[in-house]
Amino acid sequence: MDIQNNRPSILNAAAIFFATNRQNTLNYYSKLGFSCNESFGFVQLDGLEFIVHETGNLDNIRPNYPTHGPEALDLFCMVQGVEELYDRFTSRGASIRFELRISEYGMKEFAIQDPDGYSIGFGESLID
């Protein structure tokens, strides 16, 4: 609880991705430099955190792409140093969903895709 205002506050949020093989997915993110908690499936890199759960039901795996179109992502992160992050991920074997580009809305961005098809975009604003 926020003691100064005596009201509850949200401290963090984490999306949940369902995986066909949780260990395989955690290994993928680990090789990209994410911290992965093997026991609970938490995946974290700087301010990005999400949870990976294993499921035997393939219907539970529902990435936004391609169902919602070619630009659909499951997470989007604002970053500093997008080019360096892109280089880090590509040098570690990331599956690139779309290459580093400049968007029509003033972002330099790219996206990775995990073994179950979930996409995470990373972008840096080019507008002051």
Side-chain angles (χ1 to χ4, degrees), residues 52-88:
V52 177
H53 285 294
E54 189 163 327
T55 181
N57 183 348
L58 296 181
D59 290 336
N60 288 336
I61 299 172
R62 297 182 181 177
N64 287 328
Y65 169 81
T67 303
H68 299 288
E71 299 299 312
L73 299 168
D74 298 290
L75 290 174
F76 185 82
C77 306
M78 296 295 293
V79 302
Q80 289 181 323
V82 71
E83 291 179 27
E84 293 85 355
L85 188 61
Y86 176 81
D87 291 343
R88 181 190 320 166

Side-chain angles (χ1 to χ4, degrees), residues 8 15-16 20 30 49-50 52 59 63 66 72 84 94-96 99 103 108 110 115 125 127-128:
I16 297 174
T20 55
S30 182
E49 184 174 59
F50 56 94
V52 177
D59 290 336
E84 293 85 355
S95 175
I96 301 298
E99 300 288 334
S103 71
K108 185 175 272 192
F110 72 96
S125 178
I127 301 169
D128 292 332

Side-chain angles (χ1 to χ4, degrees), residues 8-20:
S9 61
I10 297 170
L11 301 177
N12 192 4
I16 297 174
F17 292 168
F18 286 95
T20 55

Side-chain angles (χ1 to χ4, degrees), residues 14 17-18 23 31-32 42 48 56 59 61 63 79 83 85 87 92 101 108-109 112 122-123 126:
F17 292 168
F18 286 95
Q23 190 59 55
K31 83 173 183 176
L32 298 183
F42 284 85
L48 169 60
D59 290 336
I61 299 172
V79 302
E83 291 179 27
L85 188 61
D87 291 343
R92 294 180 179 193
R101 65 187 186 188
K108 185 175 272 192
E109 61 185 13
I112 63 172
F122 301 90
L126 299 175

